[in-house]
């Protein structure tokens, strides 16, 4: 039995309200989680495979542990309901790993890794010129060049970036706006992307009736990693955001400025997303400490 996501989600919420007496806030949260997951999967949530859910789950790496835990619970209960109702025979969410407190930071990339990615991207763009590679170039330049969250990137309005203006106004978590600088290379890539998006279009990266999904972005990044000879398990949009942060900090960026660029409400979050190697710390102390010559 195949059921459209909107109908399946509505039936699930009706069950929670009628049989389990779920509170209005709970119903609203579950509804948002499931509708968002459905949108990311192009309306294919009810028929999703375990692999698709794992990719979806990985795309939430930038969210707070409590939010990820709630989304995981939403998915597991939703699919348990579908199984109980005979709508599908299996629960693909049963194996989703629990969120552990203090989740480790994602692996970062060396400058050499980043160079390989962009060299490969330029080669592919030359070999396969067309809309898909033009879009990929813009996505990658904005991910690494501006440190955008995956959700912020895929949902950029068509006019969010207006070359030659070297910045964009991005709406991040909590509907908070911030100004994000756009590099010259990213501006050039966005110009090319804009040329293939109708002026009346709503999104910079359209897909179907909406915009590109986070899961699809996750898959595209991993595909590029494989083309570049890098381990796809090491690559994700969030890893590129993390690389942006660590490379900016290593280059001398101020932590407070980086906090603003990343859109973090709390400086401690920025400190978790960035790390400086011990050698650079030793060099800094040696160069700047007033007793270093003593």
């Amino acid at each position: 039995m195949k059921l459209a996501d909107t109908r399946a989600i509505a039936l699930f919420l009706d069950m929670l309200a009628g049989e389990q007496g779920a509170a209005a806030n709970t119903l609203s949260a579950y509804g948002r989680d499931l509708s968002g997951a459905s949108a990311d999967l192009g309306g294919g949530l009810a028929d999703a495979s375990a692999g698709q859910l794992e990719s979806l789950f990985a795309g939430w790496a930038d969210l707070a542990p409590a939010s990820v835990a709630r989304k995981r619970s939403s998915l597991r209960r939703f699919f348990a309901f579908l199984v109980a109702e005979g709508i599908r025979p299996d629960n693909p969410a049963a194996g989703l790993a629990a969120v552990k407190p203090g989740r480790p930071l994602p692996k970062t990339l060396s400058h050499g890794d980043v160079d390989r990615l962009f060299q490969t991207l330029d080669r592919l763009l030359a070999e396969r010129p067309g809309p898909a590679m033009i879009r990929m170039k813009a996505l990658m330049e904005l991910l690494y060049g501006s440190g955008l969250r995956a959700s912020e990137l895929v949902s950029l309005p068509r006019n969010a970036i207006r070359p030659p203006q070297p910045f964009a106004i991005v709406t991040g978590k909590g509907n908070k706006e911030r100004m994000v600088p756009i590099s010259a290379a990213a501006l050039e890539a966005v110009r090319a992307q804009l040329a293939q998006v109708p002026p009346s279009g709503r999104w910079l990266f359209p897909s179907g009736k909406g915009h590109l999904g986070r899961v699809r972005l996750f898959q595209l990044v991993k595909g590029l990693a494989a083309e570049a000879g890098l381990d796809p398990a090491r690559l994700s949009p969030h890893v590129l955001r993390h690389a942006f942060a660590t490379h900016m900090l290593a280059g001398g960026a101020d932590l407070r400025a980086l906090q603003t660029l990343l859109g973090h409400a709390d400086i401690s979050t920025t400190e978790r997303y960035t790390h400086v190697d011990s050698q650079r710390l030793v060099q800094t102390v040696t160069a700047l400490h007033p007793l270093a010559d003593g």
Side-chain angles (χ1 to χ4, degrees), residues 1-2 46-48 79-92:
M1 176 180 179
K2 187 172 182 179
D47 299 316
F79 284 105
F81 165 76
L82 296 185
V83 171
E85 294 296 313
I87 296 173
R88 63 176 294 163
D90 61 322
N91 183 346

Side-chain angles (χ1 to χ4, degrees), residues 105-188:
L105 291 173
K107 296 177 181 179
T108 190
L109 300 173
S110 69
H111 286 286
D113 291 335
V114 173
D115 287 343
R116 286 177 66 182
L117 278 175
F118 279 91
Q119 288 168 3
T120 300
L121 181 56
D122 289 340
R123 173 177 60 80
L124 293 175
L125 186 59
E127 293 174 355
R128 313 171 194 170
M133 292 311 304
I134 289 173
R135 181 183 69 175
M136 190 65 197
K137 176 72 170 177
L139 289 169
M140 288 295 295
E141 290 287 358
L142 290 171
L143 268 178
Y144 177 69
S146 300
L148 295 178
R149 296 180 177 94
S151 57
E152 295 169 346
L153 176 61
V154 297
S155 62
L156 280 174
R158 186 188 186 282
N159 296 322
I161 303 173
R162 301 183 181 187
Q165 293 180 349
F167 63 85
I169 303 299
V170 175
T171 302
K173 289 184 178 180
N175 287 323
K176 293 181 180 179
E177 291 187 341
R178 72 182 190 280
M179 188 175 72
V180 175
I182 308 297
S183 70
L187 282 175
E188 190 61 32

